[in-house]
Amino acid sequence: MSDLAKEKAARLLKKRASVSSLGSHEVKAKETAGRTKDSLSTVSYMDEPGHHDDNLRPAVQMENTYQMGPYRRFPVITVNDILKDVLASYLQEEKYEADLCRQMTKTISEVIKGRVKELMVPRYKIIVLISIGQLGDQNVRMGSRCLWDSSNDTFSSHTFKNSSLFAVANVYAVYFE
Amino acid sequence: MDEFQSGEEIVFVVDDINTIVKDAVETTIGNNNYQQSRIHQWTSSVVETSLNQLSKLGKPFKYIVTCIILQKNGAGLHTASSCFWDSTMDGSCIVRWENKTTLCVVNVFGLAV
């Protein structure tokens, strides 16, 4: 099963059109609610709108876990602290520069994802969204709405500002039933 | 849950989402200039319209829709996202839309149930 998954992931990577892609493959054995699963994680930057894989594959039938909800909830407050920490440490003394900030957004989002993954909250999918902007005289409005199960899913958000830039970090956690 | 999985492919289709979001933004903002007083209503409206249309697709997905509306005055903005999910079934779509005075970036994430 894991070989098949690896092959599919390799095909996915080859077909995906991305301007710059950095492949770093790690195979990690992960505990997921008692079942061990080999996961292949790759890092690739999709600087252009993603071209999704055209191979439609049939849905994988999962067995019933008979689990009604998550055993361990997503720790919002811990993640809040992580966001505060990471944004402050990476951006405290920085000035807004186009190239630097472009790289910074990618780096920070990977770092935050890594730290949230370390919390090892089982069965949760994570989405990290970072925006870094220049402080000008403009007005910015960010809004988000989610169609999910509000008893299990949650999000965490933090804003950081210094003299020349502002940064907004959002982490969404969605329970996988 | 069995009805969803028998025979139907659960894949995130980017093109449909693209169309839905573009329409939502066009109908909400259209050719209007940036107006501070209406901005709150615009963001809510874009996001809610998109979400309504997405739920009408009837697919077994949870959706997260984010919208950033920006006044164009020369300042720069960078956005990045990093996701930990099942890449065979889940996906995301980013739509950038602009007119003379406003810039709008809408991000849609779809996670299979």
Side-chain angles (χ1 to χ4, degrees):
Chain A
M1 163 78 200
S2 60
D3 284 336
L4 196 61
K6 275 183 224 168
E7 266 175 16
K8 282 183 185 165
R11 255 185 288 138
L12 249 174
L13 265 184
K14 274 189 235 155
K15 283 198 177 172
R16 190 170 286 161
S18 58
V19 173
S20 64
S21 89
L22 163 77
S24 79
H25 300 255
E26 313 153 28
V27 179
K28 282 188 281 199
K30 221 162 50 87
E31 291 285 309
T32 327
R35 283 179 286 144
T36 43
K37 205 163 67 163
D38 283 331
S39 63
L40 181 73
S41 97
T42 60
V43 177
S44 71
Y45 299 122
M46 310 203 337
D47 282 330
E48 300 201 325
H51 298 279
H52 279 257
D53 195 356
D54 288 327
N55 283 359
L56 296 178
R57 53 184 71 80
V60 176
Q61 287 272 7
M62 300 253 182
E63 266 195 22
N64 260 323
T65 59
Y66 298 103
Q67 210 175 316
M68 297 301 284
Y71 289 143
R72 203 180 128 210
R73 302 210 151 268
F74 192 75
V76 182
I77 309 195
T78 317
V79 175
N80 259 331
D81 292 333
I82 293 181
L83 292 180
K84 234 181 276 187
D85 221 13
V86 175
L87 287 180
S89 66
Y90 274 85
L91 297 173
Q92 194 62 50
E93 297 303 325
E94 303 293 342
K95 281 210 130 2
Y96 180 86
E97 270 156 39
D99 292 326
L100 172 73
C101 288
R102 184 179 306 136
Q103 202 46 53
M104 199 60 95
T105 41
K106 295 178 195 168
T107 316
I108 296 185
S109 68
E110 290 295 327
V111 167
I112 292 183
K113 186 181 74 172
R115 287 189 58 176
V116 175
K117 271 168 81 170
E118 277 167 26
L119 297 175
M120 296 275 258
V121 198
R123 301 190 75 93
Y124 269 92
K125 294 181 178 176
I126 315 281
I127 295 178
V128 179
L129 192 58
I130 305 284
S131 303
I132 300 187
Q134 187 179 13
L135 272 185
D137 287 328
Q138 87 280 19
N139 228 313
V140 184
R141 179 118 203 145
M142 296 190 188
S144 88
R145 288 277 192 288
C146 310
L147 181 65
W148 61 21
D149 178 359
S150 47
S151 51
N152 294 331
D153 304 325
T154 182
F155 75 98
S156 169
S157 178
H158 188 254
T159 323
F160 170 85
K161 203 165 85 153
N162 76 9
S163 52
S164 65
L165 57 77
F166 68 91
V168 181
N170 276 331
V171 176
Y172 300 93
V174 179
Y175 180 66
F176 180 62
E177 286 169 38
Chain B
M1 270 304 168
D2 289 325
E3 318 91 77
F4 287 135
Q5 284 165 350
S6 59
E8 190 186 300
E9 283 136 353
I10 310 176
V11 175
F12 191 76
V13 181
V14 183
D15 300 318
D16 294 343
I17 315 272
N18 234 318
T19 329
I20 290 176
V21 170
K22 279 211 180 92
D23 286 337
V25 180
E26 286 283 331
T27 43
T28 311
I29 310 184
N31 277 326
N32 291 329
N33 284 333
Y34 185 91
Q35 283 159 47
Q36 177 57 26
S37 50
R38 301 185 58 186
I39 198 70
H40 179 74
Q41 179 207 350
W42 281 348
T43 9
S44 313
S45 166
V46 166
V47 173
E48 271 159 34
T49 317
S50 313
L51 214 42
N52 274 327
Q53 295 296 335
L54 287 172
S55 59
K56 284 194 188 142
L57 288 177
K59 295 201 163 175
F61 275 96
K62 290 183 177 175
Y63 294 105
I64 297 175
V65 182
T66 323
C67 168
I68 303 179
I69 299 189
L70 199 6
Q71 191 180 8
K72 273 174 145 176
N73 85 338
L77 175 79
H78 292 278
T79 313
S81 76
S82 176
C83 310
F84 177 58
W85 59 25
D86 182 347
S87 48
T88 51
M89 298 194 296
D90 306 327
S92 73
C93 166
I94 306 187
V95 178
R96 288 179 289 263
W97 180 95
E98 57 186 293
N99 73 9
K100 275 185 62 192
T101 47
T102 322
L103 191 64
C104 180
V105 182
V106 181
N107 232 313
V108 180
F109 297 99
L111 296 113
V113 170

